[in-house]
Amino acid sequence: MARAAMILLLLWPTTGKAQRVLTLDSCRQLAITNNKQLSAARTQKEAASYGVKSARTKYLPHVDAMAGAELMSKEVSILNNSQKDALNNLGTNAANKMGSTMTDIITGMVQDGTITPQMAQQLGQQIGSLSTAFAGIGDELGSTIRKAFRTNTHSMFAGSVMVSQPLYMGGGIKALNRVAELKEDMADNNYDMLLQNVLYEIDVTYWLVVSLRQKQKLAESFLDLVKKLNEDVHKMINEGVAVRADGLNVDVRVNEAEMAKMRVDDNLALAKMLMCQLCGLPMETEFTLADEGKDLSTTAAALPGGEETAIDRPELRLLDTAIDISEQAQRVITAAHFRPQVALTGGYLLSNPNTFNGFERKFSGVWNVGVLVRMPLWDWHDGRYKLAASRAATTIARLERSDLEEKVNLQVAQERFKVREAYRRLELSTKHVSSAEENLRCASIGFREGVMNLSEVMTAQTAWESAHTQKIDAEIEVQLSLLGLRKALGKIQ
């Protein structure tokens, strides 16, 4: 039992450090999930979708509420100062005028002999008493009328709820909605472009790690091969059938093979660090790629893509969208500067003082409905200038699109050429490997039989290593050329 527990303890660190096997698809998914630029592009797509929803609300009625209070040093006055004075002295002025008129009448009656002076004096005293009483009553009435005309607007409060419904905006709302939809398409295309770049980068790094792992295995095999030759040569030196110079030459070759293996190990470690960074994994993560042990020549021959013709680049779609947005911008300018705009309005207005009941100090309101028409008449050609600038922007976008299309077609043609050359190079390197292996086999047999010298064996070993290196490079070049063609066509999936 104790022995079993000890075995488990010894095996525990080993199982804890088991390497993670990553396929190309899993690396892509990790890169897509952890890439910051793609996350930002996804957020941009979400923002563009909200922009579309916002633009659609322009078709619907909008409700606004507004309220305010204001204090003024003077109040609004319906009467001027002369009218106020006249109302304050309404009775006095009327009594004076009436008294003057009655005095003239009584004087005329005395002169005519109708009444005596004594009667006229008594009548005048009675009229004076009546005028005084009438003046007081009239002044009080005038003051009451003046106060009734007071607005009491030193402090005013007002509020309103307004509803506006666009009826005809010259096509501007429709154009704005189309622009919002195009911006959403642009966000989608921008995400696709970033996605293509991320997938391309992760694929290139993936095949770089695979090629370096293959070269690492080749370097290990070559080092074992050179060490075996070194052992044989030193045995021959001990037996006296080889000279010390041969041993030194082989020692130098062993050192070179070890240095080459160290360089490959370092490059592989750096490439794996880059792969971890792209996948969002810790730098110290140990992993193995699924294609490291596969025969890449058969894998490359089975990959599709060499005969694809349709080009679907997100960069071209972005410029197409930019052209459409520029054209819609012209419609917006036309609607704002050259066409009438009609809107239906309605609402409820509340105020204190109540202007609808003699400026009563109470809140009261009124419903209202109306039609608002706006027609641009003169803007010093501002609309024409903006329209001309927008047309120029559309022309520039079309030229850029045409230029990019020519460059993309050239790139596709170049990538097709690279694919054909990569397959041809793979075919030649495969034949070269067969020849190099046969040459090494013959040289090794000849050296053991004593019919070939050491330098010929070392030359055969070098040719063997070079042939296998070229084959690995050719296999990876096929993968990368097919990847480059798919990227040029915009079809990295």
Side-chain angles (χ1 to χ4, degrees):
M1 186 70 179
R3 185 177 180 182
M6 182 64 68
I7 293 174
L8 288 175
L9 288 175
L10 292 175
L11 291 178
W12 175 256
T14 304
T15 56
K17 295 182 179 178
Q19 288 193 351
R20 183 178 183 178
V21 179
L22 298 177
T23 64
L24 181 58
D25 289 337
S26 63
C27 290
R28 285 182 166 192
Q29 291 301 321
L30 287 171
I32 292 172
T33 302
N34 297 290
N35 188 271
K36 301 298 187 297
Q37 291 183 344
L38 284 178
S39 298
R42 282 191 288 268
T43 305
Q44 186 179 12
K45 288 175 59 177
E46 184 179 358
S49 66
Y50 289 137
V52 172
K53 295 178 181 178
S54 174
R56 288 173 181 169
T57 63
K58 304 302 180 184
Y59 289 111
L60 305 175
H62 284 65
V63 182
D64 299 311
M66 182 174 61
E70 187 173 6
L71 296 176
M72 296 190 298
S73 62
K74 294 182 179 181
E75 67 180 24
V76 176
S77 179
I78 298 176
L79 302 175
N80 58 36
N81 293 331
S82 298
Q83 291 171 335
K84 291 178 182 178
D85 292 338
L87 286 173
N88 285 332
N89 300 299
L90 177 64
T92 300
N93 294 333
N96 291 335
K97 188 174 182 179
M98 183 180 66
S100 176
T101 303
M102 293 302 296
T103 299
D104 292 340
I105 294 173
I106 292 172
T107 302
M109 292 175 67
V110 172
Q111 291 176 353
D112 292 340
T114 306
I115 60 175
T116 64
Q118 291 78 12
M119 293 176 63
Q121 184 178 4
Q122 293 177 357
L123 186 59
Q125 291 175 352
Q126 293 177 356
I127 292 175
S129 299
L130 290 173
S131 296
T132 302
F134 180 77
I137 296 172
D139 289 346
E140 185 178 355
L141 178 61
S143 178
T144 302
I145 295 173
R146 181 187 65 80
K147 290 179 180 179
F149 274 99
R150 184 185 176 188
T151 59
N152 193 15
T153 52
H154 283 292
S155 60
M156 294 189 297
F157 306 91
S160 66
V161 177
M162 297 297 297
V163 180
S164 60
Q165 171 63 58
L167 298 180
Y168 175 74
M169 295 288 114
I173 295 180
K174 183 178 180 181
L176 288 174
N177 273 265
R178 181 57 182 159
V179 168
E181 293 172 356
L182 291 172
K183 287 184 178 180
E184 186 178 27
D185 293 341
M186 183 172 284
D188 291 338
N189 293 329
N190 183 63
Y191 178 81
D192 290 343
M193 182 177 66
L194 291 175
L195 178 61
Q196 296 262 325
N197 293 334
V198 169
L199 293 180
Y200 179 79
E201 187 176 8
I202 196 68
D203 282 17
V204 169
T205 307
Y206 181 91
W207 293 116
L208 173 63
V209 173
V210 170
S211 68
L212 289 173
R213 180 58 183 145
Q214 297 281 9
K215 289 181 179 181
Q216 185 186 49
K217 293 179 181 178
L218 176 62
E220 293 171 352
S221 300
F222 182 69
L223 180 60
D224 294 339
L225 186 64
V226 175
K227 284 182 176 180
K228 180 64 172 61
L229 178 62
N230 188 37
E231 293 176 0
D232 293 341
V233 170
H234 281 284
K235 289 180 182 179
M236 295 173 66
I237 292 174
N238 294 333
E239 295 174 359
V241 295
V243 297
R244 181 172 175 78
D246 293 334
L248 294 176
N249 288 334
V250 178
D251 289 340
V252 170
R253 179 56 60 88
V254 172
N255 291 334
E256 291 176 349
E258 290 176 345
M259 290 293 293
K261 182 180 180 302
M262 185 178 67
R263 285 194 297 270
V264 173
D265 292 341
D266 293 342
N267 291 335
L268 178 59
L270 293 174
K272 283 191 172 184
M273 290 174 64
L274 177 59
M275 176 66 78
C276 290
Q277 189 271 327
L278 293 176
C279 293
L281 300 174
M283 292 296 177
E284 65 276 6
T285 303
E286 293 294 334
F287 62 88
T288 301
L289 299 183
D291 289 305
E292 288 183 5
K294 293 183 179 179
D295 186 0
L296 298 182
S297 59
T298 57
T299 304
L303 284 176
E307 302 299 326
E308 295 186 61
T309 57
I311 298 176
D312 187 24
R313 289 282 288 270
E315 295 93 331
L316 293 175
R317 298 200 302 269
L318 277 172
L319 286 178
D320 289 336
T321 306
I323 293 172
D324 292 340
I325 289 177
S326 182
E327 291 175 346
Q328 294 300 323
Q330 296 175 29
R331 294 184 174 90
V332 173
I333 294 171
T334 301
H337 292 272
F338 301 102
R339 293 178 182 173
Q341 299 176 359
V342 183
L344 177 65
T345 63
Y348 184 78
L349 178 63
L350 184 72
S351 68
N352 185 357
N354 178 12
T355 58
F356 305 101
N357 191 25
F359 292 91
E360 182 184 15
R361 292 303 299 189
K362 291 183 179 180
F363 281 100
S364 181
V366 62
W367 294 97
N368 63 85
V369 64
V371 177
L372 177 65
V373 180
R374 175 185 175 273
M375 179 63 196
L377 297 179
W378 182 254
D379 60 359
W380 301 100
H381 300 298
D382 178 48
R384 294 182 183 274
Y385 298 148
K386 290 181 179 178
L387 189 59
S390 181
R391 288 172 177 169
T394 304
T395 302
I396 293 172
R398 286 198 177 99
L399 291 173
E400 291 177 348
R401 204 273 184 198
S402 178
D403 180 64
L404 180 61
E405 185 176 12
E406 293 176 358
K407 292 179 180 179
V408 167
N409 289 331
L410 175 61
Q411 184 181 9
V412 170
Q414 291 173 338
E415 294 298 332
R416 292 187 190 282
F417 178 81
K418 290 180 182 179
V419 169
R420 290 193 295 269
E421 289 299 308
Y423 273 107
R424 189 177 297 114
R425 196 171 291 111
L426 176 60
E427 182 181 359
L428 294 176
S429 63
T430 302
K431 294 179 181 178
H432 187 39
V433 166
S434 301
S435 301
E437 289 178 346
E438 180 64 20
N439 182 40
L440 178 59
R441 188 184 69 82
C442 294
S444 300
I445 294 174
F447 180 70
R448 287 195 298 269
E449 298 295 333
V451 296
M452 299 185 72
N453 56 35
L454 179 62
S455 61
E456 291 174 324
V457 176
M458 295 173 64
T459 300
Q461 289 179 344
T462 302
W464 177 85
E465 181 197 22
S466 176
H468 279 278
T469 301
Q470 291 177 5
K471 184 174 182 292
I472 293 173
D473 290 339
E475 291 169 348
I476 299 301
E477 187 178 357
V478 168
Q479 302 286 346
L480 296 181
S481 63
L482 289 170
L483 178 64
L485 177 58
R486 287 196 292 269
K487 186 176 186 298
L489 292 170
K491 295 184 177 181
I492 296 183
Q493 299 295 336

